[in-house]
Amino acid sequence: MLLRYFFVSAMLAVTSSTASLADVVIDLGGPATGYLAVSNFKNSTTQAGIEGDANGLPDYANYQMANGNYTAIIASPLDATSDYSAFANFSTGFSGSSFTINNQTITQSDAGTLSAGQIRFDADLLTGTGTETIGVDDLVFDFDTYAYDGSRGGPAGMISPFSPLYTPYNDGSGVGNASLYYNLSLFNVTGSGLTFQDGIFESLDINGDLSVLATSSQNQTLNATFTGTFTGIGKEYLFSVNDQQDFPSVFSDVNMVMNRSGTANVVVPEPSCFALAAIVSVGWVARRHRRRTSVA
């Protein structure tokens, strides 16, 4: 019983809190660049109107649209070095040097490591010997990795970590400003999947159609689905969305850009690591047991 207790404790210590001991998890974290952002969602006739008390979005970058209005770029994560030039495609007459981003000053501490989600599969599918491929049909894509506590309204269940809800940057009246939450899904997945060599993660070969459902936390009937693609090659991944959609009866021509890319990492022990953990745990307990016996 003692041996079993220490073995389980050791395994829990090295396992991600969001996954089962039976899962291998590929985290889509960092190093990474890019963001998920919308524009033409929170607008004003002046730049000060975006940054001031009326809208309460002083932490977000903004730009002037072709119609003369200013719009916030409600982005996550915020990075002062982000390239927002893709939004010029949505504003006729604004391109190249004439497209100016204002108030781009803030970099979040996790801008380069924020996880875009996880790819999981059952560890029993991996023997840890030779070259092995886990096909796309055996993979679970979880791009909504933040648990939503439900205590402050909004949806139950999971939301994407790119949602600006309840962040320090959503000022003013809180959810009334940057009030979107996102749910990301992958469809029509192709490719060979994940490749491992002797139990060690080697590469991704995954392509799929990406769907980003954006919903207002104040009124869940106000939603729109933006589409793009997800690509995984080698150990690199890319979320790509460049789309414009309408929210029913309220918001027209809302622009979404998602260009998050980075390096995939294993965050749950690979099969060889499970064996090593067992050996270390049993050895440690055995030594402790011998010491107690000799003292007695």
Side-chain angles (χ1 to χ4, degrees):
M1 181 64 69
L2 185 64
L3 287 174
R4 180 182 300 171
Y5 171 80
F6 281 108
F7 171 71
V8 172
S9 298
M11 296 305 296
L12 289 173
V14 295
T15 302
S16 168
S17 61
T18 61
S20 163
L21 286 175
D23 286 341
V24 173
V25 176
I26 308 297
D27 182 67
L28 305 178
T33 60
Y35 52 84
L36 191 164
V38 296
S39 69
N40 202 19
F41 177 77
K42 199 66 178 179
N43 301 341
S44 176
T45 57
T46 65
Q47 181 184 348
I50 290 293
E51 299 177 6
D53 293 337
N55 285 294
L57 299 174
D59 298 325
Y60 291 102
N62 56 72
Y63 66 94
Q64 188 176 24
M65 298 186 293
N67 63 8
N69 289 337
Y70 287 81
T71 181
I73 301 176
I74 302 172
S76 179
L78 293 179
D79 190 334
T81 67
S82 289
D83 179 7
Y84 293 123
S85 61
F87 283 106
N89 298 330
F90 298 113
S91 290
T92 303
F94 285 78
S95 61
S97 60
S98 63
F99 184 77
T100 302
I101 300 295
N102 309 302
N103 198 42
Q104 188 173 348
T105 59
I106 295 175
T107 297
Q108 294 178 214
S109 60
D110 62 348
T113 58
L114 177 68
S115 174
Q118 300 174 344
I119 303 172
R120 305 195 311 272
F121 67 90
D122 192 323
D124 289 342
L125 297 174
L126 206 60
T127 68
T129 301
T131 301
E132 299 178 273
T133 299
I134 309 300
V136 294
D137 291 340
D138 291 317
L139 303 178
V140 176
F141 298 92
D142 179 9
F143 298 153
D144 301 320
T145 56
Y146 278 15
Y148 191 92
D149 63 17
S151 64
R152 293 166 291 188
M158 312 296 281
I159 63 172
S160 166
F162 292 99
S163 171
L165 275 172
Y166 306 114
T167 70
Y169 310 106
N170 186 17
D171 300 340
S173 58
V175 297
N177 292 313
S179 59
L180 291 176
Y181 63 88
Y182 305 120
N183 292 96
L184 280 62
S185 304
L186 196 62
F187 303 94
N188 302 322
V189 184
T190 61
S192 61
L194 305 176
T195 298
F196 289 76
Q197 182 65 43
D198 295 327
I200 305 301
F201 173 54
E202 287 286 316
S203 63
L204 300 153
D205 178 22
I206 299 170
N207 297 280
D209 296 327
L210 183 68
S211 170
V212 182
L213 174 63
T215 306
S216 167
S217 66
Q218 293 185 310
N219 183 348
Q220 294 187 26
T221 66
L222 297 180
N223 60 76
T225 299
F226 299 81
T227 59
T229 59
F230 172 82
T231 305
I233 302 176
K235 289 189 177 181
E236 305 305 307
Y237 65 86
L238 170 64
F239 291 81
S240 180
V241 177
N242 197 311
D243 196 12
Q244 186 177 74
Q245 297 292 335
D246 298 337
F247 285 68
S249 305
V250 179
F251 303 109
S252 299
D253 299 330
V254 174
N255 312 316
M256 177 178 287
V257 173
M258 186 178 188
N259 57 7
R260 187 69 169 175
S261 63
T263 302
N265 304 283
V266 175
V267 295
V268 170
E270 295 159 355
S272 57
C273 296
F274 280 98
L276 178 61
I279 293 172
V280 171
S281 300
V282 172
W284 182 83
V285 173
R287 285 196 302 273
R288 184 172 181 179
H289 178 71
R290 283 197 300 271
R291 288 174 183 171
R292 288 181 173 177
T293 302
S294 62
V295 170

